[in-house]
Amino acid sequence: MPRRVRSSFERSGPAALYGEGASSDTTFSTLGVRARMQASDSTRLRGRPGWRHAFGDTTPNTTHAFGGSLPFTLAGVPLAKNVAVLEAGIETQLRPNLTLSASYSGQFGNGLQDHGAKVDLTWSF
């Protein structure tokens, strides 16, 4: 999804900072498998291993200048072009209107590790 940054500037003499508008356009594709299994009458397991590839602008850049100076470019942290993705979860029905679930999600790439965990207790009424 394109990310757009509007121009910005400060008013206060030679130390005022001006930033040009910028945009980045990155598309992600994921190839993988989704699996779901009923472990018991009240418990379900799910998993999704895959490979994700980034196309387009993988290094965000913006150009800035101080009042009256030459412009300079700032580069952000580059996105990994290829990563392995993994999601796994378990859900159990504690009562007819009460569900407990836990899940893990991670990305692993060239020098990249990103981990996340989530626990939900859902009460329906």
Side-chain angles (χ1 to χ4, degrees):
M1 170 174 259
R3 183 183 65 83
R4 308 227 184 272
V5 178
R6 287 188 258 159
S7 296
S8 63
F9 61 94
E10 299 174 347
R11 295 176 184 39
S12 66
L17 182 63
Y18 171 79
E20 291 184 9
S23 67
S24 60
D25 196 8
T26 308
T27 302
F28 297 92
S29 68
T30 304
L31 177 65
V33 176
R34 289 185 189 185
R36 191 173 289 246
M37 181 179 98
Q38 191 77 29
S40 70
D41 289 341
S42 62
T43 303
R44 292 181 291 278
L45 303 173
R46 67 181 187 280
R48 188 178 91 161
W51 167 70
R52 181 172 295 150
H53 182 75
F55 299 92
D57 301 333
T58 57
T59 303
N61 293 312
T62 59
T63 301
H64 300 278
F66 288 105
S69 74
L70 294 173
F72 57 93
T73 300
L74 297 172
V77 176
L79 299 171
K81 286 191 179 243
N82 294 293
V83 295
V85 292
L86 176 64
E87 294 180 15
I90 184 169
E91 180 180 293
T92 187
Q93 193 82 34
L94 301 174
R95 299 204 182 261
N97 62 345
L98 189 62
T99 305
L100 177 64
S101 62
S103 61
Y104 166 81
S105 64
Q107 295 185 45
F108 310 91
N110 186 15
L112 164 78
Q113 288 189 22
D114 182 26
H115 305 279
K118 182 178 177 182
V119 175
D120 286 319
L121 181 63
T122 306
W123 176 39
S124 303
F125 55 93

